[in-house]
Amino acid sequence: MDDVREKYLGQIANAADEAALEDIRIAAVGKKGEISLKMRELGKMTPEERQTAGPALNALKDEVNSAIAAKKAGLADAALDARLRDEWLDVTLTSRPARQGTIHPISQVTDEVIAIFADLGFNVAEGPQIESDWYNFDALNIPSHHPARGEMDTFYMHRAEGDNRPPHVLRTHTSPVQIRSMEAHGAPLRIICPGRVYRADYDQTHTPMFHQIEGLAIDRDLSMANLKWLLEEFVKAYFEVDDVELRFRASHFPFTEPSAEVDIRCSWDDGQLKVGEGDDWLEILGSGMVHPKVLSAGGIDPNKWQGFAWGMGIDRIAMLKYGIPDLRPFFDSDLRWLKHYGFVPMDRPDLPGGLSA
């Protein structure tokens, strides 16, 4: 039995993997293994021989089984060590891949403005970007001799020779949406109209296509005081400040009477805009009470209803809030610019969570 013991313990020690170890186990203590067959021979021995051989065979079987178990554990540890070396992972790294895209500042600011006015009870209205001359100009009390109707300022759609239908234009503002909403829903009405608009201009602060958002409120007893309160609430929420000071300057827009340009008190420190403090004023939008002719064009009786409207450039207020110096890169599709000024895709702006968090 000493020879059998040395043979199997040596084979166990030299086993390269669990498969070889299992073959050794079967050969030694399996059903037909060498040690198992020797234990069957105990019945042929005399009682005196069994008293000596029996305990020795049991001890040998236990020793072989223990050696197999120990070797198996050692092989498992070695396999785990090898796997850990091959599958090394720096657990200090982020568990998610880096985000691949960003939200464009125009989309971000549009969502911010919509969130603010939705909280104030306004619905979003949309309309076509190719408008008839009537919706874009006539219904808004813009006379035929107005400079805005010239081809130097407005993109007119091509008409075939002999086509006498009224011309169509790429809309120069989102105000036509107000007329369409009045026709569709009547009064009372509270809407904002975001979207693309087109004008023939191109420099650091103007592009042929840009974005506007206009608002309209119609009810029985609205006044400029209501308009002033609404715009103050908007500016405080948008620029995320506790207090603002607005200045209304008399102006002229064909579709409002009276009309006013709106400035905000601000300061510029090292090129950084701070709203609500300082000695400077910055124009941000135009506004006024809706002209009776515009109400009539929308199918609303101006003797029973009145309203106010305002409009601002989304691109412009995005530049002011986020310190973007030039309008033209908004439309260049430069991934470096988008990565720098873009926003996290899943962080939708809302008032409770913070607009620009």
Side-chain angles (χ1 to χ4, degrees):
M1 282 189 291
D2 288 340
D3 294 337
V4 174
R5 177 180 178 276
E6 291 178 4
K7 179 178 72 171
Y8 287 115
L9 292 181
Q11 291 178 1
I12 292 170
N14 295 325
D17 50 42
E18 291 192 15
L21 194 62
E22 178 64 14
D23 292 339
I24 297 170
R25 186 194 69 79
I26 293 173
V29 294
K31 186 175 181 181
K32 296 181 180 182
E34 186 174 356
I35 297 175
S36 299
L37 292 176
K38 287 186 177 293
M39 295 186 74
R40 293 179 187 177
E41 295 176 358
L42 291 175
K44 301 177 182 179
M45 297 180 183
T46 64
E48 293 78 9
E49 291 174 333
R50 284 199 299 271
Q51 287 180 356
T52 303
L57 285 171
N58 283 326
L60 176 59
K61 181 180 180 181
D62 291 342
E63 187 175 3
V64 170
N65 282 331
S66 297
I68 290 172
K71 183 66 175 181
K72 186 174 183 179
L75 291 172
D77 291 342
L80 179 59
D81 290 340
R83 180 180 176 187
L84 291 175
R85 286 194 302 272
D86 295 339
E87 299 180 4
W88 179 85
L89 177 67
D90 186 350
V91 295
T92 64
L93 295 176
T94 178
S95 60
R96 296 181 179 178
R99 56 188 174 92
Q100 299 298 310
T102 58
I103 297 297
H104 196 284
I106 289 176
S107 299
Q108 172 75 15
V109 169
T110 301
D111 287 342
E112 291 181 14
V113 175
I114 289 174
I116 294 170
F117 283 111
D119 188 65
L120 294 168
F122 285 77
N123 295 316
V124 176
E126 296 180 327
Q129 296 180 40
I130 298 176
E131 276 290 8
S132 69
D133 195 56
W134 188 86
Y135 277 110
N136 197 77
F137 295 122
D138 295 332
L140 294 167
N141 196 37
I142 300 176
S144 58
H145 60 272
H146 196 280
R149 300 182 77 144
E151 293 186 358
M152 292 295 293
D153 293 320
T154 299
F155 293 104
Y156 281 85
M157 306 301 293
H158 174 73
R159 287 190 294 175
E161 187 176 351
D163 186 351
N164 296 320
R165 292 176 298 177
H168 280 70
V169 301
L170 294 178
R171 66 183 182 187
T172 59
H173 40 199
T174 56
S175 300
V177 180
Q178 299 180 17
I179 301 296
R180 292 180 178 274
S181 296
M182 284 189 275
E183 290 178 338
H185 305 292
L189 187 65
R190 288 185 185 181
I191 58 167
I192 54 173
C193 317
R196 295 186 182 93
V197 296
Y198 305 84
R199 294 180 191 173
D201 206 352
Y202 186 70
D203 58 32
Q204 186 173 352
T205 57
H206 299 85
T207 55
M209 184 277 289
F210 57 102
H211 301 79
Q212 270 192 348
I213 189 162
E214 300 185 19
L216 172 69
I218 299 176
D219 214 315
R220 297 285 187 184
D221 300 309
L222 295 181
S223 67
M224 289 290 286
N226 302 122
L227 172 63
K228 182 175 184 292
W229 175 87
L230 181 76
L231 295 179
E232 286 177 346
E233 292 300 305
F234 163 73
V235 172
K236 286 190 289 186
Y238 177 71
F239 288 103
E240 298 175 275
V241 295
D242 296 328
D243 193 27
V244 296
E245 183 179 350
L246 299 186
R247 181 176 69 179
F248 282 66
R249 290 182 289 106
S251 185
H252 171 72
F253 304 115
F255 31 81
T256 54
E257 180 60 39
S259 304
E261 300 276 7
V262 180
D263 306 330
I264 56 173
R265 182 180 289 278
C266 65
S267 66
W268 294 91
D269 293 333
D270 298 325
Q272 183 68 36
L273 174 68
K274 293 185 178 180
V275 174
E277 60 181 58
D279 299 322
D280 295 325
W281 293 91
L282 178 68
E283 178 189 330
I284 58 169
L285 56 88
S287 64
M289 300 300 294
V290 180
H291 198 289
K293 290 185 178 180
V294 176
L295 292 174
S296 297
I300 293 176
D301 187 349
N303 296 316
K304 297 180 180 179
W305 303 91
Q306 60 191 39
F308 56 75
W310 72 94
M312 69 191 87
I314 296 176
D315 318 301
R316 174 170 169 76
I317 62 175
M319 293 170 68
L320 294 176
K321 183 174 181 179
Y322 294 111
I324 303 173
D326 195 324
L327 179 62
R328 289 167 291 190
F330 276 78
F331 311 105
D332 285 345
S333 299
D334 187 329
L335 293 179
R336 296 167 300 176
W337 187 91
L338 292 171
K339 183 177 181 180
H340 178 75
Y341 287 109
F343 293 82
V344 178
M346 299 305 292
D347 288 349
R348 289 191 59 83
D350 60 72
L351 294 181
L355 290 180
S356 54

